[in-house]
Amino acid sequence: MTVETVRIDRIRPADSPRLDGEDPDHIRLLAESDATLPPILVHRGSMRVIDGMHRLRVAQSRGDTEVAVEFFDGTELEAFIRAVQLNVTHGLPLSLADRESAAARILESGESWSDRAIARMTGLSAPTVARIRARSLADGHADAQSRLGRDGRVRPLNTTAGRLRAGELIDSEPNLSLREIARRAGISVGTARDVRKRLSRGEDPIPARFLPGPHPATHPAAGPLDPSGPPTADPGPDPMDGSYVSDLNSLQKDPSLRLTGSGRFLLRWLSFHAISQENRASLIRSLPAHNKARIAYMAKCCSRWWAEFANDLEQPQELRDIPKTG
């Protein structure tokens, strides 16, 4: 960077990651030193100090009217991140509270950096950033649906929809290459390979950690419904009731279901509903308030669809074969 001489009265104080501001003792030590202080780093767009507030205070205390400056070009968020990075690696180090506060601010910016990427910016561990993220979400801040990693690659947080699509492709076009499946489903080749292996073992293509549910776009079409009305059948036991789980395990071992595309489709949907009360409550707490009414509506649609599906199953075959009119 080119060093320029700038009048001190043009420079604005830092948008500092330091919660307690400058340290008077550190300013005094710098003022007493005979060493030539390096230029300060300033954000060109706002003229705020990024790195060097202590050096600026020393210059002011000496009565200087100008100071050596290097300019940084970027957004204000990028300038703040640069300030954090520089104060983590040299000079008067940021305290743990300073770094955790900086991580929270970066998370609240809405950018999609991963926990590891933010940890690297702030000098924290990835688990610490994950805890800060959880607190931020609990306070109502939205989270991105994908994360930007340290390697610059964007990765989705949940590949449920892509895994479902991959499973459909494998069922309908078993000779497709993994690369083509990955391209069509919007997932990595490694994820496509995992889906194929899981299906070959008769398992669900979606690991348990991705439950409780698929992407909304994967809901089966239910036809015209009146979701405000009560279900037409008893919804049955709680999904985590022992008999439900036992029956589900038995069905998953049945070759007539797990070795057919329609059977695996049904098993996936039955698995999605095996959610404990605790996990359901946690899921509800994590949902954005502005979408809860819409999600409730969709849940009622699904409930009505399942009730009608159950009624159809309970009817004798000869009645199910009669075309519906009306």
Side-chain angles (χ1 to χ4, degrees), residues 183-198:
R183 186 188 68 79
R184 293 197 200 177
I187 56 178
S188 70
V189 173
T191 300
R193 181 181 295 107
D194 181 66
V195 171
R196 176 172 280 173
K197 287 181 177 179
R198 295 177 71 86

Side-chain angles (χ1 to χ4, degrees), residues 50-69:
I50 294 176
D51 183 48
M53 272 305 300
H54 290 98
R55 282 167 272 158
L56 180 64
R57 296 304 187 202
V58 169
Q60 291 172 328
S61 69
R62 292 173 176 171
D64 297 341
T65 58
E66 296 178 329
V67 67
V69 166

Side-chain angles (χ1 to χ4, degrees), residues 75-216:
T75 66
E76 293 194 9
L77 176 61
E78 289 169 342
F80 176 77
I81 292 172
R82 185 63 177 150
V84 175
Q85 291 173 320
L86 290 172
N87 284 280
V88 164
T89 58
H90 75 85
L92 184 65
L94 297 176
S95 68
L96 176 60
D98 291 336
R99 287 178 280 135
E100 290 184 343
S101 176
R105 176 170 168 178
I106 294 170
L107 286 166
E108 291 167 12
S109 71
E111 295 292 339
S112 57
W113 285 295
S114 67
D115 292 342
R116 290 183 181 277
I118 295 175
R120 188 174 184 180
M121 297 173 190
T122 56
L124 297 169
S125 68
T128 297
V129 175
R131 288 193 293 271
I132 296 170
R133 189 189 295 273
R135 290 201 300 268
S136 178
L137 293 174
D139 291 338
H141 296 286
D143 197 13
Q145 296 305 304
S146 59
R147 300 273 170 84
L148 178 63
R150 292 182 298 175
D151 58 2
R153 296 177 61 186
V154 176
R155 296 175 175 84
L157 291 183
N158 193 324
T159 59
T160 296
R163 282 175 172 270
L164 283 173
R165 175 60 178 152
E168 294 168 359
L169 289 169
I170 292 169
D171 284 338
S172 60
E173 302 180 59
N175 294 326
L176 279 179
S177 68
L178 289 174
R179 189 171 299 280
E180 181 63 15
I181 293 169
R183 186 188 68 79
R184 293 197 200 177
I187 56 178
S188 70
V189 173
T191 300
R193 181 181 295 107
D194 181 66
V195 171
R196 176 172 280 173
K197 287 181 177 179
R198 295 177 71 86
L199 291 177
S200 70
R201 296 193 298 262
E203 298 175 1
D204 196 291
I206 303 173
R209 66 181 182 276
F210 289 155
L211 299 177
H215 190 280

Side-chain angles (χ1 to χ4, degrees), residues 220-223 225 265-266 300-310:
L225 298 176
F265 179 84
L266 176 63
K300 290 179 180 178
C301 287
C302 292
S303 173
R304 183 63 176 251
W305 185 91
W306 275 110
E308 293 180 352
F309 181 70

Side-chain angles (χ1 to χ4, degrees), residues 21-56:
E22 297 91 49
D23 183 340
D25 292 335
H26 189 64
I27 294 173
R28 187 179 66 256
L29 288 173
L30 290 177
E32 293 172 353
S33 172
D34 293 332
T36 301
L37 299 178
I40 65 175
L41 183 63
V42 174
H43 180 226
R44 192 188 300 274
S46 64
M47 292 300 291
R48 285 190 179 276
V49 175
I50 294 176
D51 183 48
M53 272 305 300
H54 290 98
R55 282 167 272 158
L56 180 64

